[in-house]
Amino acid sequence: MASQYHDQAWVQKWKQSTDDIGDGMTYQQAATRLRQLINTKLLTLTDIQDDPERFFEAHPFLVSLRDANGNLKAGVEAKDMGKKTVGNDLDNALLTFKNFKVPRETLLARFVTVDANGKVSFPQGNMRTMDMIGQRLFTGRIAVAQAGLAFANGLFATTRQFASGKKCWAPGGDTTLIQVPQIKAIFERADKELAILSTFIKTVELQLSEYLRKRQLPDLALQQAIAVGKVKCIEGAIELCHSLKQEVGSYALMAGTGFEQLDFLNCCKFAEGDSRILMQKMARDIFSKGPSTALEKDALNKLKASIGKDMKAGLGKKDAWDNNYLLVYGLAEAHMQGVMEKTLKGASKL
């Protein structure tokens, strides 16, 4: 990964720590190695941004995977991921490139070019590869959040139609399923919560659109709001749809009702950033930088107190953090609540 750099001692240490990295390394092993590089200060979170010539970055390319006869080209391996419970027409292949030489003319070069000598230039201004990937991640998170809400709204709409026409016996005369107290309550709660989430993610989308029109990266506050929207919309949709399923009896077992597609929301949960990972990052940021709201302060104090107690009992930092995972996610929830309240308050002024 390292390129020529004036700090030869650093280059030597980097090579010693990364020479064994290759195709045989699992994602878990690669993640562990990355943490080691950061912990030993060989790599910092701003290195690539501050010293771009120090590293090679990922660069997208477009190539044909098969030859004219339909056979995979040398160096390309393709496998079927196996049958899934949902979404078998999406992300269904595992592609591996081994010793596959990518022709220079296949590199996508609208924003970044690499000449034969390895010199990097930016035809559209200094927008690096990671900036472009980041932009796709921001729009992708909003799209996933909206897809989850669309699924939930659709499921509630079709189930509402069924429940409104389904007659049920009741003392004093028949009623309809939707008038059963707990079912009526879940529909009322869904109407309110889905509307709030829709307004929030639409507000975030409009804010991001302004940055995209100017070809700018969103500021950190908006980046965080996008992550919050992705988590809250999907987790909200999952919780509401699960609660609905528990109340409508055998209807939820029937094919064609939409309930058989609930695993779609599971896909949304980990697409474009897993909910738990995003929440861990939110909590870590607050833990290191400090709280910005009273809710965050209260949750942070509880977490710090419990971690301190565990460390006095002999646990290391990592184990103490993991041991308090509920308080970690509680801190993230406090943060997300504050972000949503601030964003919605701003939207109400428009």
Side-chain angles (χ1 to χ4, degrees), residues 1-6 10 47-57 117-122 126 128:
M1 290 177 64
S3 63
Q4 290 185 351
Y5 194 69
H6 64 270
W10 177 89
D47 267 341
I48 294 178
Q49 177 179 335
D50 295 342
D51 299 302
E53 296 304 320
R54 194 170 181 172
F55 299 91
F56 296 125
E57 293 189 49
N117 297 316
K119 180 176 175 55
V120 178
S121 58
F122 306 91
N126 192 19
R128 300 174 299 108

Side-chain angles (χ1 to χ4, degrees), residues 225-246:
I226 292 170
V228 169
K230 195 276 176 175
V231 174
K232 294 299 288 184
C233 289
I234 297 307
E235 296 302 323
I238 289 174
E239 191 278 325
L240 286 168
C241 291
H242 176 76
S243 295
L244 181 64
K245 184 178 182 181
Q246 308 313 304

